[in-house]
Amino acid sequence: ELKVEQNPLFLSMQEGKNYTIYCNYSTTSDRLYWYRQDPGKSLESLFVLLSNGAVKQEGRLMASLDTKARLSTLHITAAVHDLSATYFCAVDKGTSYGKLTFGQGTILTVHP
Amino acid sequence: GAVVSQHPSWVICKSGTSVKIECRSLDFQATTMFWYRQFPKQSLMLMATSNEGSKATYEQGVEKDKFLINHASLTLSTLTVTSAHPEDSSFYICSARRDRGSYEQYFGPGTRLTVT
């Protein structure tokens, strides 16, 4: 059974600081996704990582994938209040493309 | 492009009644749609996969007779919660994928169901 674990589950940051959210998964997969969810809303796609060593950046967020270590990271640079949200990573179940298994989510709060 | 809508956005129903939730891909044809459930302050759990023209496949532990899924066309999938109970209260989110080889899926805005 595929398991996806995020760390930390809660993250309180000061504006301007850097931090990293980690996503570990238990079985081989080549597709990893990062999503953002605001309270009461659905998911917003942030990144799709498709191969080992993939790195993608958008604004203050950068995601990377190490398939050998079964680890993805979401790095936040110089956090701002607008980044406050819940962040989920999700892994595709390999042969059944599209069947995503989600991590628990990381609740990020950025303080002035 | 790649917009997915859901209707209704929220619904309140009485225990024992049935509720239908629609998921539509507005500007593309979706061969596959997925239904997820999210309880408050929890993650998303995949309930079932819906392929146009064939029966839905349900994840382990999901009652197929309670959660009826119909993928009638390439742009519409429906989820019917039958004989709803308070424990079915949740946020239901659908997603759609263009074709089986596509890695991208597009999420709908979600439907909040409250059963009283």
Side-chain angles (χ1 to χ4, degrees), chain B residues 30-114:
Chain B
T31 56
T32 307
M33 290 183 172
F34 303 92
W35 287 94
Y36 295 86
R37 180 168 55 183
Q38 184 180 33
F39 291 110
K41 300 190 185 301
Q42 294 189 25
S43 187
L44 281 77
M45 297 290 291
L46 178 65
M47 298 175 66
T49 303
S50 166
N51 291 298
E52 187 268 338
S54 62
K55 288 184 178 180
T57 56
Y58 292 80
E59 295 300 301
Q60 192 173 7
V62 178
E63 301 174 59
K64 61 180 181 182
D65 294 331
K66 180 170 185 63
F67 299 99
L68 302 179
I69 292 172
N70 182 28
H71 197 150
S73 74
L74 286 172
T75 59
L76 174 64
S77 176
T78 60
L79 167 67
T80 301
V81 183
T82 62
S83 186
H85 291 284
E87 57 265 31
D88 298 323
S89 298
S90 187
F91 194 42
Y92 292 87
I93 304 174
C94 73
S95 69
R97 189 178 66 185
R98 293 179 191 271
D99 54 61
R100 287 184 175 83
S102 173
Y103 57 82
E104 189 70 79
Q105 56 183 279
Y106 306 95
F107 285 83
T111 296
R112 188 162 303 281
L113 169 64
T114 302

Side-chain angles (χ1 to χ4, degrees), chain A residues 29-66:
Chain A
S29 176
D30 292 327
R31 298 182 174 190
L32 190 131
Y33 304 76
W34 283 97
Y35 295 95
R36 168 182 171 145
Q37 186 178 39
D38 292 301
K41 305 290 186 181
S42 187
L43 301 183
E44 174 190 352
S45 179
L46 296 175
F47 301 107
V48 181
L49 304 170
L50 300 177
S51 61
N52 186 43
V55 177
K56 290 193 174 181
Q57 183 166 3
E58 181 72 35
R60 301 176 187 273
L61 302 178
M62 183 174 70
S64 65
L65 178 62
D66 181 342

Side-chain angles (χ1 to χ4, degrees), chain A residues 90-102:
Chain A
V91 176
D92 207 309
K93 286 187 180 180
T95 55
S96 301
Y97 291 148
K99 289 191 174 185
L100 300 182
T101 298
F102 283 81

Side-chain angles (χ1 to χ4, degrees), chain B residues 1-6 23-30 33 75 94 96 98 106-109:
Chain B
V3 179
V4 176
S5 71
Q6 283 183 240
C23 176
R24 293 181 185 272
S25 55
L26 298 184
D27 50 2
F28 66 100
Q29 292 186 329
M33 290 183 172
T75 59
C94 73
R98 293 179 191 271
Y106 306 95
F107 285 83

